[in-house]
Amino acid sequence: MAATTNKQLISWIDESAKLTQPDSVIWINGGEAQLAELRKQSVASGELIPLNQEKLPGCYLHRSAQNDVARVEDRTFICCPEEKDAGPTNNWKAPAEMRAQLETIFSGSMKGRVMYVIPYSMGPVGSPFAKYGIELTDSIYVVLSMAIMTRVGNSVLNAIGDTGDFIKGLHSKAELDPEKRYIAHFPQDNTIWSVNSGYGGNVLLGKKCFALRIASTLGRDENWMAEHMLILGIEAPNGEKRYIAAAFPSACGKTNLAMLIPPKVYADKGYKVWTVGDDIAWLRPGNDGRLYAVNPEYGFFGVAPGTNAKSNPNALASTARNTIFTNVVQNLDDNTVWWEGLDKNPPENALDWTGKPWNGKTAATVGAHPNSRFTAPAINCPCISDEFENPAGVPIDAIVFGGRRAKTAPLVYQSRDWAHGVFVGSIMGSETTAAATGAVGVVRRDPMAMLPFCGYNMGDYWQHWLDMEKSLTNPPKIFNVNWFRLDDEGHFIWPGFGDNFRVLEWMLRRVRNEAEANETALGYLPKPEDINLEDFEIDLAALTDLLSIDNALWKEEAKGIREFYGKFGAALPAKLAEQLETLENAL
Ligand code: GTP
Ligand code: SPV
Ligand code: MN
C-alpha cells in the first residue's frame, strides 16, 4: 500500500509498472520487520548467503554475475537535449532515442517479479542540503543495499509530500545481459534508467547516478556543488575541529583517508580524525562566506581488498555487523569472509568470489574480485563524526585533489588561489583501477575525480567551479596530493595510510598561515623539513625526491593537458587556458 497520495509519484509508478509488468508492487517503509522478511526471501532464493551470525551478526555474502562486477562507463549515458551540453567526456544520446531503445529492453522485464518502491533521502531528511529520490527495482539486493547506503522509508514520502520534487529512478536486472546493459540519465526530467546490471555503482541509483551525475546539474543551476569527495574532521589537542574534503578517483584512497588513524606521535598528543563521508560531498556556500559540506550517504560501499586491521581498522570495524559483502571469498571452515590483503592467512577450505572451491594457500588466482566491496552502515564506524547527521554540514578549510601517479605529481602542493586550485583539479590525471570495467593502470585525465560522474559538459562544470568563488569570502585552500609515487623498483616511496596525516597537518598549518613553503611552477611545495618527521621511518632523501618536480616530465604533462583542454573548444573557461599558459611558461 502506498503511504502517499502524491499523484505525480503514483502515476509515474503506474506508468513504470505498465512498462515492466511486475506481478506486484511493494512499498519499502524503512521498518526492520519488512527488511528482515526480504533478507529471509533473498536467502531462500540464494541471492544472499547468511554468514556466521556469531562472528558477523547481520552480515551476508552476495555474488554478482561474473560479467557484472564494476561500473560500465562505456554504457553510461547523459541524455540531455543537446549533445554539446553533455560535453566531450560523456556518452550522449538524444533523450527520445534512448527512451525508445530502453523501453524495448524494460518492456516486461519484471514479469514474474516484484517491483519494490524505495523512497530514499540523500542527506539528513529535512536538511537544506537533502534531496529525495524514489528507486523502483526488481532486486532485493538493491533494496537491502539502499537501506544501508541511504535513509529509506516513509519519512521520505512525508518530506516529498505532494510535490514533484524527487528524482525518479527505474532499475531492472532484466536478464543481466551485458549487451543490453545501460545506465542512462535524463537530467532535464530528473530521471535515471538502469537496466541489465546488479552492480553497486550501476544500480544503487542514489549514489553515482543521483548524488553525482544528476546532482551536479542541480548544483550548477542552484549554486552548489556535488563532488566525488570524502569529508574528514581533524581534532587538535585543544579540541578545535577543522574539516577537509578530498577528491580522488575510484579506488584511489578516499575511504582510507576518511578513516585514518594518526601516527602514534600525533595520537599521543591528542590528535584525532573523524569521518563525515568517504565518497560523496555536497557543498554549499554558507551565510558566513565559507563552504559547508554534508555527506549525502548513510553507509559505505567500500573496496574490500587491501582493507585490514593495520591499513584501515575503522573500515574493518564498520563491516563487523549488518554488512553485505559482494564478491569476496567465503571461508567454509567458519563461514566468514576473506579477501586479498585482509591477513597473511588465506583460508584453504573456501569458495572464491565466483563460488568455486578455492584453496588460498595453493590457488593461482585471486580469491576475491579486485573490485569486491562491502556495504556497511556508517553508524558502525568507530570514528564516525558527531557532525555526520548535522543538517547544516561542516565548514571546509581545505579541498584536496589527488590521484595515482607513478612519477609526475609530487607528494603535495598547494595552489596559489581559488582559480589556480580549480586549474589544479582540472588537470588531475590518474591510473585506472578495477572500479570500472576496462584496462587497469592506464593514465587518463580525471578532472576533480569526476570524469565518469559529471552530469554535464565538463567545461561548463569548470566554469561553475570558478564562479563559486563569488559566493565564498573565505574559500577553502586547495591542495593536490599523490600517495602513489614509485621508486625504480616499482615500490611505493611514501608509506601512505596513517602517515598521510603528516601531509594533512602541513595543510592545516598552511590554512592557519603557520607553515613555510617554496613557490614553484606548480604552486607552493613544502620543504622536506616542513613535513613532521618525528618517529617516522622515511629518510630525508626519499622525502626530497617525493617533493621534487621533474621539469621534462611536466613539459610532457602540459602537452597532454593542452591536448585534453583542446577537446572542449569554446566550453573551456578562458581562466583555465590562462592558467595553462602560466604553467607552460614557468616550466
Ligand atoms: P572508491 O570507493 O572506488 O571511490 O575508492 P576509494 O577512493 O575510497 O579508495 P579506497 O580507500 O578504498 O582505496 C583503494 C585502494 O587504495 C585500496 O587497495 C587501498 O589499500 C589503497 N590505498 C589507500 N590509501 C593508500 C595509501 O595511502 N597508499 C597506498 N599505497 N595505497 C593506498
Ligand atoms: C567508485 O567507483 O568510485 C565507487 C564505487 O565508489 S561505485 O558505487 O560503484 O561507483
Ligand atoms: Mn567512489
Side-chain angles (χ1 to χ4, degrees):
M1 252 284 290
T4 178
T5 52
N6 185 319
K7 289 204 183 75
Q8 297 177 64
L9 177 47
I10 290 170
S11 80
W12 166 63
I13 292 171
D14 287 347
E15 212 177 279
S16 304
K18 221 168 125 196
L19 174 65
T20 57
Q21 297 167 39
D23 284 1
S24 60
V25 175
I26 292 180
W27 290 69
I28 300 301
N29 59 32
E32 178 50 32
Q34 188 185 40
L35 295 174
E37 172 58 29
L38 290 175
R39 281 183 211 111
K40 218 161 103 189
Q41 284 178 30
S42 65
V43 167
S45 71
E47 194 173 0
L48 290 188
I49 297 164
L51 293 163
N52 184 324
Q53 293 299 303
E54 259 161 46
K55 291 185 174 175
L56 294 168
C59 292
Y60 295 83
L61 169 66
H62 171 74
R63 294 194 187 100
S64 75
Q66 289 180 40
N67 66 26
D68 191 26
V69 294
R71 284 181 293 99
V72 282
E73 295 181 1
D74 56 329
R75 311 194 70 92
T76 298
F77 286 78
I78 302 297
C79 305
C80 46
E82 303 267 348
E83 181 167 14
K84 72 168 179 24
D85 294 327
T89 57
N90 280 314
N91 301 311
W92 175 85
K93 203 167 257 184
E97 194 188 331
M98 183 57 105
R99 271 185 194 275
Q101 185 180 347
L102 293 194
E103 269 167 7
T104 317
I105 301 174
F106 271 112
S107 176
S109 66
M110 295 193 191
K111 267 188 198 154
R113 300 178 187 175
V114 176
M115 174 193 272
Y116 298 97
V117 179
I118 315 170
Y120 66 95
S121 176
M122 301 313 289
V125 179
S127 149
F129 285 76
K131 298 269 177 195
Y132 309 116
I134 307 285
E135 177 162 358
L136 310 179
T137 180
D138 56 4
S139 160
I140 298 183
Y141 171 73
V142 167
V143 174
L144 296 174
S145 300
M146 285 294 284
I148 295 172
M149 293 304 297
T150 71
R151 296 150 172 102
V152 159
N154 288 345
S155 62
V156 178
L157 290 178
N158 293 337
I160 294 172
D162 284 327
T163 71
D165 238 354
F166 58 92
I167 305 297
K168 305 183 204 93
L170 175 61
H171 165 251
S172 174
K173 304 183 281 194
E175 308 307 318
L176 295 177
D177 179 349
E179 302 299 322
K180 293 184 182 159
R181 186 169 295 157
Y182 289 96
I183 322 297
H185 306 71
F186 304 89
Q188 75 284 8
D189 300 325
N190 285 336
T191 294
I192 305 155
W193 278 9
S194 164
V195 70
N196 275 303
S197 174
Y199 168 75
N202 298 332
V203 302
L204 307 180
L205 299 184
K207 197 171 176 56
K208 296 306 173 35
C209 299
F210 175 177
L212 289 180
R213 296 195 192 96
I214 297 287
S216 61
T217 67
L218 298 175
R220 172 197 59 190
D221 300 340
E222 300 168 359
N223 199 43
W224 57 280
M225 306 159 90
E227 299 297 329
H228 192 199
M229 289 179 177
L230 68 92
I231 309 163
L232 65 79
I234 294 185
E235 181 176 339
N238 66 6
E240 183 196 52
K241 287 180 184 153
R242 290 189 178 256
Y243 296 90
I244 295 178
F248 308 154
S250 303
C252 289
K254 288 182 300 302
T255 301
N256 278 271
L257 192 69
M259 299 181 188
L260 82 63
I261 293 181
K264 189 166 179 304
V265 280
Y266 286 100
D268 287 350
K269 287 178 196 151
Y271 283 96
K272 290 192 188 92
V273 167
W274 300 105
T275 307
V276 182
D278 83 322
D279 198 53
I280 296 176
W282 283 0
L283 303 138
R284 282 178 184 267
N287 293 331
D288 58 358
R290 301 180 74 186
L291 189 62
Y292 284 77
V294 300
N295 167 15
E297 301 191 278
Y298 204 44
F300 308 122
F301 184 56
V303 176
T307 305
N308 61 55
K310 209 170 152 248
S311 66
N312 195 347
N314 288 315
L316 203 58
S318 304
T319 67
R321 56 193 176 283
N322 303 334
T323 292
I324 302 174
F325 298 91
T326 300
N327 293 339
V328 299
V329 173
Q330 184 181 9
N331 181 344
L332 294 177
D333 285 334
D334 62 354
N335 196 25
T336 57
V337 289
W338 191 87
W339 48 78
E340 278 65 26
L342 174 64
D343 55 41
K344 295 203 167 99
N345 191 25
E348 292 171 89
N349 177 27
L351 301 177
D352 72 6
W353 70 272
T354 68
K356 281 205 301 284
W358 186 80
N359 181 335
K361 295 279 189 303
T362 57
T365 53
V366 293
H369 188 275
N371 192 39
S372 55
R373 296 212 172 225
F374 52 80
T375 312
I379 49 168
N380 281 0
C381 183
C383 60
I384 194 74
S385 166
D386 285 345
E387 304 293 313
F388 173 62
E389 300 264 17
N390 185 341
V394 295
I396 299 295
D397 276 310
I399 286 176
V400 184
F401 295 117
R404 270 178 201 268
R405 295 309 297 267
K407 295 288 170 208
T408 324
L411 179 64
V412 58
Y413 63 97
Q414 182 188 357
S415 67
R416 287 184 286 273
D417 52 32
W418 180 267
H420 181 234
V422 175
F423 173 71
V424 167
S426 79
I427 66 168
M428 271 171 64
S430 193
E431 293 149 24
T432 51
T433 66
T437 55
V440 167
V442 183
V443 175
R444 69 173 186 184
R445 305 242 78 85
D446 189 350
M448 282 83 170
M450 284 287 279
L451 180 73
F453 307 122
C454 184
Y456 60 106
N457 189 316
M458 184 74 77
D460 298 338
Y461 165 82
W462 291 332
Q463 188 60 52
H464 180 54
W465 261 87
L466 291 165
D467 291 343
M468 286 304 293
E469 190 184 10
K470 295 183 204 126
S471 310
L472 300 170
T473 48
N474 189 2
K477 302 278 187 280
I478 301 180
F479 299 83
N480 192 86
V481 299
N482 177 22
W483 315 137
F484 299 94
R485 280 262 279 249
L486 299 179
D487 64 17
D488 294 336
E489 273 103 57
H491 302 119
F492 293 118
I493 306 173
W494 179 250
F497 301 98
D499 285 313
N500 294 335
F501 190 83
R502 297 172 191 274
V503 174
L504 301 183
E505 198 236 356
W506 176 77
M507 289 175 190
L508 289 189
R509 277 189 280 130
R510 289 293 295 171
V511 165
R512 296 192 307 259
N513 290 317
E514 288 170 5
E516 299 286 303
N518 284 329
E519 190 158 5
T520 72
L522 298 186
Y524 301 112
L525 257 80
K527 299 188 204 76
E529 60 272 24
D530 295 330
I531 303 287
N532 183 1
L533 296 181
E534 259 177 291
D535 196 22
F536 195 27
E537 278 163 30
I538 201 164
D539 61 52
L540 209 58
L543 193 58
T544 306
D545 182 36
L546 282 168
L547 291 170
S548 65
I549 298 167
D550 182 328
N551 254 52
L553 278 181
W554 270 95
K555 281 184 185 156
E556 272 309 301
E557 187 77 3
K559 269 190 214 157
I561 296 163
R562 185 159 281 283
E563 195 187 332
F564 182 60
Y565 271 11
K567 291 185 185 177
F568 293 88
L572 179 73
K575 270 197 185 161
L576 294 189
E578 280 165 33
Q579 292 281 349
L580 177 56
E581 262 174 51
T582 308
L583 173 65
E584 287 168 334
N585 293 337
L587 291 168

